Amino acid sequence: MYYLQSQIIPCTPCTCTSLSLSLSLSVSLSLFFHSLDPYVKLYLFHNNQRIAKKKTHVKKHTTNPVFNESFVFDVPFSEGLQNLSLVFFLLGYDKLYKNKVIGKLEIGSKSEAAKHWHEVEASPRRQIAEWHKLKE
């Protein structure tokens, strides 16, 4: 079972041009994944179209990676957060499994993590952190 903690800091609705994201991810991988070098890919979607992507650093030779990285996404000026969503992929890399998906999480107004997203929408410039279970 893998969990991801995302800390999202939105800008104020009237001047929204960026979305800050602090990513804290603590994972314990099974022995099956002992040789994978894990990393996370993040995608920002607007109306179901990908508008941005980011990637964490690869954590080499570990089955217990910890990611503490921050990302800033530019978002459409006139849009609030209601039409945006973030998708996280926990991936592993080695010679046998190039970019193997280990887990996935979507955070947005129409996702399973909608409660977290609505808290973010209601609290401009306030950091909102929550742990989420990744889907395998």
Side-chain angles (χ1 to χ4, degrees):
M1 197 174 309
Y2 316 116
Y3 289 91
L4 173 130
Q5 181 185 41
S6 60
Q7 302 172 355
I8 303 170
I9 309 168
C11 53
T12 57
C14 60
T15 62
C16 193
T17 59
S18 67
L19 177 68
S20 295
L21 174 71
S22 290
L23 176 65
S24 297
L25 176 62
S26 181
V27 181
S28 181
L29 302 174
S30 67
L31 291 177
F32 175 73
F33 296 114
H34 75 279
S35 64
L36 292 181
D37 295 334
Y39 62 97
V40 177
K41 281 190 177 181
L42 301 88
Y43 297 99
L44 179 66
F45 286 86
H46 176 259
N47 290 328
N48 296 323
Q49 274 194 296
R50 189 179 79 195
I51 59 172
K53 65 180 178 177
K54 308 273 183 175
K55 185 182 120 177
T56 65
H57 290 94
V58 175
K59 301 295 182 181
K60 296 207 179 246
H61 312 295
T62 181
T63 56
N64 298 302
V66 175
F67 301 91
N68 288 308
E69 300 186 34
S70 295
F71 301 93
V72 175
F73 291 98
D74 292 326
V75 298
F77 178 78
S78 61
E79 295 291 327
L81 298 179
Q82 67 273 10
N83 295 323
L84 297 175
S85 63
L86 286 166
V87 179
F88 302 86
F89 287 97
L90 174 63
L91 297 115
Y93 179 85
D94 74 354
K95 293 176 186 170
L96 185 60
Y97 298 106
K98 292 188 188 325
N99 304 318
K100 176 173 179 47
V101 176
I102 300 168
K104 176 186 175 186
L105 170 68
E106 181 177 353
I107 300 177
S109 61
K110 297 174 184 125
S111 69
E112 290 181 16
K115 178 181 172 273
H116 184 194
W117 197 254
H118 294 305
E119 286 179 41
V120 169
E121 285 181 307
S123 306
R125 296 187 186 264
R126 197 172 125 231
Q127 182 173 331
I128 308 291
E130 189 171 322
W131 285 97
H132 300 280
K133 183 179 176 183
L134 295 174
K135 292 182 180 180
E136 296 182 39

